[in-house]
Amino acid sequence: MKLEKILDKLGSIEKNSFIKIIDNIISKKPSSIKEIEKILSSTDKGLKSVDNQNISNIFSLTSEDFLNQIRCEFQEVTSQLDILIDIIIRDGNCIMRQDWFSRLYESEIKNLKIRIKELNNELENEKSELGEERKRDYRIYRSCLSTAYNNDALNNREAKITSDELSIILTLAKELQLSQEEVKLINYSILPIKKVDIHDVINSLKNIGVIFYSKKDNTIYVADEMVRILRKLRQKDVADKFYRRTLKSLKEPILNQIAKKHNIDRKLDYSVKIEEIINSGISFKSLLTTDIYKEGSTLTDKKKHLNELCESSLNINNLKGSTLEEKISSLVEYFENVEKDEKVGISIDGFDKMLTELNTSLPALNKLLKNKFELQDEFVMKADFLLDYNIKPRDILDLIVKTDLSNFIKDNGIKQRGDDIANIMEHYKDAENLYLENYANVAYRDLNLLKENGIAIKESELGLKFEELTKVIFSNLGFNVDEKSKQKLNTNKDMIDILLNLGNNEVIIVECKTSKEKGYNKFSTVSRQLKSYQKLALHNDLRIIKILLIAPEFSDDFVTDCEMDTEMNLSLITASTLLKIVDVFKTSKYQVFPHVLFRDIIINEERILKALNK
């Protein structure tokens, strides 16, 4: 869930710790201070009085500073912060009720102790599958850590690891190519590990700003933006779902090669082996730098292999960069952009339909999703629910084994030639709803964004498409979009876009305007046009309740000119506002949108949304 959306859900007390931390960062004059001061200039009461959208923008500007502040918390190596962060950055753990988080924490401690015991046995067993070279690496790291931790006790001081010692230990782990999980297992074989009270755990995470906690519903929230920062802290280059997508594109001998190097059982089932590799904490970049190639591969071979992997298996063409490192960084950046992107790839309705039909064809999928994403709810196959966890259609399809995917395609009449996942996504695209979700992009005539979102349309068709979509929106708001009466009124000279018939000879006239330019600024032209429509309606004995003008946005001059006009009862609505209104209207108590709410010169989005939510 995005930070702004979480902040909207919480009260001021629940946001207080986070706000204090950001305020403290701002007081130290970070490099982005000028941009921050521009945002804060609209208020003289500081960060607390800034709206949630701008708090989110300020957090984005201070994210590196925030990361450095959290990094300092790792100086206290007995804090269990690594364990806790590894839980909250997993896909699906961004929203958790307290009891569920407590269960995950207990399970993590229990599993950690079991795996530490297994590792110690492997090190002592001469016949273990763990290679001598890897045993040597583990022993070197463990001996150095033990010395760093216990040397204080020898001098009658409290046992701890200083920041200087920690920096050396981290460098050693990197040079020995130890995964995060390997480091964690060895660390806690030396450092004391005990279960902490869950309330203390929540408070400690809340006080350093990485989680929000709502006492009202006993729920922990971790913002998507925060997860990306914490992932960087734990040196996880990509989300688990993208790691899984990449591993699934590898052949089993390569997976066995990776498993052997990192002490993972090669006899495990293919899909289980993939999950073990993900959970082992092996760096994604390290995996693509060395682990997936045959022994003796040249640099040219590696680059060729990586290109083939991206193009044929991941459908990512033209990977940027000339060196291997640049290509890997380009792939990581690609996955980061996909994760940040709010686009779903298909419409929300299409997503819901896909989930319904998946549930019918593959009834075990609900349980698989619950387990893979550690979700608490019993039934999780709902589009809105999954999107709050940033789980998209492609992420779900990646979990399904090929045979089940093929059967689903046959059961639902989906195209069978070509890539299975691409065919499923295309089948559930749902063009009308996809257009509605891109309503603002149509208004702005943004062909590039529309193309990226899977919409192919000619520029000459955008004006008409915007009008058609606006009709659909007003129909969804319960209005009678009266085409017959409009046709009777229209002349060759005056052509009303949309006529809403309220009954009793009362109407609302709607005019639709698209524009590439920022800030619609053609009041004199549009006012003459609207006054002609007004005369036309009055001449036919119709009472005009309101004239509405829909555009991507309006300049300050346009709004001022509109305010000065005394001849028309005109209100201005941006496309994005109208889309939010219809979205909230769906869950409101109203059957027909109360048009009396259209009373401002420029429609106040916040006021209308509050009225609909009452």
Side-chain angles (χ1 to χ4, degrees):
M1 191 179 283
K2 296 283 183 288
L3 176 60
E4 183 185 348
K5 192 172 178 181
I6 292 173
L7 294 172
D8 287 341
K9 282 177 170 284
L10 302 173
S12 56
I13 293 173
E14 294 160 332
K15 296 186 271 191
N16 204 34
S17 296
F18 177 75
I19 297 292
K20 277 183 179 176
I21 290 166
I22 303 301
D23 242 340
N24 183 50
I25 291 171
I26 293 169
S27 71
K28 293 175 181 175
K29 304 289 182 185
S31 58
S32 55
I33 189 64
K34 286 185 179 178
E35 293 100 315
I36 293 168
E37 285 174 344
K38 277 183 188 176
I39 296 171
L40 293 175
S41 63
S42 59
T43 175
D44 56 356
K45 296 179 182 177
L47 192 60
K48 284 188 178 180
S49 59
V50 172
D51 64 47
N52 293 331
Q53 184 181 12
N54 277 319
I55 289 175
S56 179
N57 292 338
I58 289 171
F59 178 66
S60 177
L61 291 168
T62 58
S63 59
E64 282 301 317
D65 304 274
F66 188 92
L67 174 60
N68 291 332
Q69 194 153 314
I70 300 299
R71 199 172 267 131
C72 293
E73 298 291 333
F74 266 78
Q75 304 299 335
E76 181 50 67
V77 289
T78 56
S79 68
Q80 296 186 6
L81 198 54
D82 51 354
I83 297 172
L84 298 170
I85 286 177
D86 285 348
I87 295 171
I88 65 178
I89 63 174
R90 285 186 207 137
D91 299 330
N93 285 351
C94 55
I95 306 170
M96 295 177 281
R97 289 193 283 278
Q98 180 189 304
D99 61 329
W100 187 248
F101 180 48
S102 178
R103 202 178 307 176
L104 291 176
Y105 173 60
E106 286 178 22
S107 176
E108 194 77 6
I109 297 288
K110 184 180 176 182
N111 289 337
L112 193 55
K113 287 180 177 178
I114 291 169
R115 294 182 76 172
I116 289 168
K117 190 175 180 180
E118 288 173 352
L119 177 67
N120 289 336
N121 289 338
E122 286 279 306
L123 285 171
E124 291 167 12
N125 184 0
E126 291 182 4
K127 295 180 181 179
S128 75
E129 286 200 9
L130 196 60
E132 286 303 316
E133 192 174 320
R134 205 57 175 161
K135 282 184 181 179
R136 183 207 61 188
D137 293 341
Y138 286 175
R139 287 181 181 129
I140 290 170
Y141 180 79
R142 190 169 66 172
S143 297
C144 292
L145 182 73
S146 178
T147 301
Y149 183 67
N150 292 311
N151 59 8
D152 293 302
L154 295 173
N155 295 312
N156 203 24
R157 293 196 300 262
E158 180 189 357
K160 65 176 183 179
I161 296 175
T162 66
S163 59
D164 287 343
E165 288 170 337
L166 182 63
S167 66
I168 294 168
I169 292 294
L170 291 174
T171 303
L172 180 63
K174 185 179 178 182
E175 291 303 314
L176 292 173
Q177 294 185 2
L178 299 180
S179 70
Q180 288 281 347
E181 193 64 18
E182 288 169 321
V183 167
K184 191 162 72 174
L185 288 174
I186 298 170
N187 282 357
Y188 287 104
S189 68
I190 300 296
L191 308 173
I193 179 170
K194 61 179 181 178
K195 183 174 164 288
V196 182
D197 181 79
I198 197 63
H199 293 98
D200 292 335
V201 168
I202 290 171
N203 281 331
S204 67
L205 291 173
K206 183 167 66 72
N207 290 338
I208 61 172
V210 299
I211 68 165
F212 296 95
Y213 179 62
S214 169
K215 285 187 178 178
K216 183 181 175 184
D217 51 10
N218 287 327
T219 300
I220 292 160
Y221 296 95
V222 192
D224 294 344
E225 298 92 326
M226 185 67 71
V227 169
R228 286 192 286 272
I229 286 175
L230 296 177
R231 206 184 287 138
K232 191 183 287 188
L233 181 70
R234 295 296 289 138
Q235 296 175 14
K236 290 192 76 166
D237 303 302
V238 296
D240 290 349
K241 56 189 179 183
F242 301 126
Y243 207 145
R244 182 181 296 112
R245 190 177 301 176
T246 306
L247 289 172
K248 280 188 76 174
S249 66
L250 301 174
K251 293 178 181 176
E252 190 149 18
I254 301 296
L255 291 183
N256 288 336
Q257 184 176 298
I258 298 164
K260 182 181 178 182
K261 180 176 179 181
H262 294 282
N263 194 27
I264 295 166
D265 188 354
R266 287 171 287 168
K267 295 172 188 173
L268 293 170
D269 180 72
Y270 179 81
S271 56
V272 177
K273 205 175 331 189
I274 283 174
E275 297 308 314
E276 283 296 309
I277 291 170
I278 293 168
N279 295 334
S280 73
I282 303 165
S283 159
F284 184 73
K285 285 185 176 178
S286 171
L287 183 96
L288 297 180
T289 302
T290 57
D291 293 358
I292 65 170
Y293 310 107
K294 292 177 183 176
E295 194 174 336
S297 294
T298 64
L299 190 57
T300 304
D301 291 336
K302 289 181 178 181
K303 286 195 284 185
K304 185 181 176 184
H305 183 71
L306 184 61
N307 283 334
E308 287 171 358
L309 173 71
C310 293
E311 290 171 14
S312 60
S313 302
L314 297 172
N315 294 321
I316 304 167
N317 296 316
N318 303 318
L319 199 64
K320 289 185 287 185
S322 55
T323 67
L324 184 65
E325 290 75 17
E326 287 170 348
K327 287 179 180 293
I328 293 168
S329 295
S330 176
L331 180 59
V332 169
E333 185 183 347
Y334 169 83
F335 283 136
E336 282 175 352
N337 291 334
V338 170
E339 187 182 18
K340 290 176 189 175
D341 200 342
E342 293 186 31
K343 297 192 291 289
V344 179
I346 59 178
S347 73
I348 307 299
D349 285 355
F351 190 11
D352 262 325
K353 187 182 179 188
M354 185 188 91
L355 289 168
T356 301
E357 294 181 355
L358 278 169
N359 191 47
T360 303
S361 293
L362 306 171
L365 182 58
N366 183 67
K367 187 177 179 182
L368 178 65
L369 285 183
K370 273 173 57 68
N371 292 340
K372 281 287 186 281
F373 295 117
E374 297 185 328
L375 301 169
Q376 185 171 6
D377 288 39
E378 280 308 310
F379 186 74
V380 300
M381 294 182 70
K382 299 167 285 187
D384 287 340
F385 172 84
L386 291 171
L387 289 173
D388 275 344
Y389 289 83
N390 203 15
I391 300 169
K392 298 175 184 175
R394 176 67 198 263
D395 306 329
I396 292 162
L397 296 175
D398 278 338
L399 294 176
I400 304 171
V401 297
K402 190 165 181 62
T403 51
D404 284 345
L405 214 55
S406 298
N407 291 335
F408 173 70
I409 286 170
K410 288 173 187 174
D411 290 348
N412 292 278
I414 299 168
K415 179 184 167 187
Q416 294 182 40
R417 279 190 173 184
D419 183 76
D420 287 347
I421 289 178
N423 290 340
I424 293 170
M425 296 286 280
E426 182 63 32
H427 183 77
Y428 291 101
K429 187 177 279 187
D430 188 353
E432 184 177 279
N433 281 293
L434 191 60
Y435 267 113
L436 283 172
E437 289 165 23
N438 283 275
Y439 182 62
N441 293 332
V442 175
Y444 275 114
R445 307 182 72 84
D446 195 331
L447 284 172
N448 289 333
L449 261 181
L450 290 169
K451 187 177 178 182
E452 280 180 33
N453 293 352
I455 293 174
I457 188 171
K458 295 177 183 175
E459 187 167 8
S460 58
E461 297 170 351
L462 287 170
L464 185 59
K465 178 55 72 175
F466 186 58
E467 186 181 316
E468 288 172 4
L469 294 172
T470 308
K471 287 177 187 176
V472 172
I473 288 172
F474 278 108
S475 293
N476 291 343
L477 288 170
F479 288 106
N480 173 15
V481 179
D482 194 340
E483 286 294 303
K484 286 184 179 178
S485 296
K486 186 186 82 170
Q487 294 301 330
K488 287 178 184 176
L489 285 178
N490 281 352
T491 66
N492 290 334
K493 184 182 175 186
D494 298 314
M495 304 281 285
I496 296 170
D497 283 346
I498 300 171
L499 190 75
L500 307 180
N501 192 338
L502 306 178
N504 300 319
N505 286 337
E506 293 180 340
V507 296
I508 294 175
I509 294 172
V510 181
E511 180 67 12
C512 306
K513 296 291 183 187
T514 60
S515 176
K516 280 185 178 180
E517 299 167 16
K518 294 286 182 183
Y520 193 71
N521 196 23
K522 299 174 182 176
F523 185 78
S524 58
T525 304
V526 80
S527 65
R528 284 196 299 271
Q529 193 178 4
L530 292 175
K531 283 169 186 174
S532 296
Y533 299 161
Q534 183 175 259
K535 285 178 185 176
L536 197 62
L538 293 173
H539 182 70
N540 283 272
D541 299 322
L542 295 174
R543 181 167 172 246
I544 302 169
I545 299 300
K546 174 67 67 177
I547 298 175
L548 298 173
L549 178 61
I550 321 291
E553 61 179 87
F554 301 94
S555 68
D556 292 341
D557 288 344
F558 192 100
V559 175
T560 302
D561 289 342
C562 185
E563 288 170 340
M564 300 297 288
D565 187 275
T566 57
E567 297 178 42
M568 292 184 293
N569 184 10
L570 176 62
S571 287
L572 313 175
I573 313 180
T574 65
S576 59
T577 291
L578 186 58
L579 197 60
K580 285 180 185 175
I581 288 171
V582 75
D583 190 47
V584 173
F585 176 77
K586 290 175 190 174
T587 56
S588 74
K589 63 184 178 182
Y590 299 100
Q591 296 298 310
V592 179
F593 180 83
H595 61 78
V596 292
L597 293 175
F598 288 142
R599 59 173 175 263
D600 307 306
I601 294 296
I602 181 146
I603 295 302
N604 186 319
E605 177 186 303
E606 189 177 347
R607 180 179 60 76
I608 290 181
L609 297 186
K610 279 183 181 176
L612 290 175
N613 279 320
K614 277 187 178 178

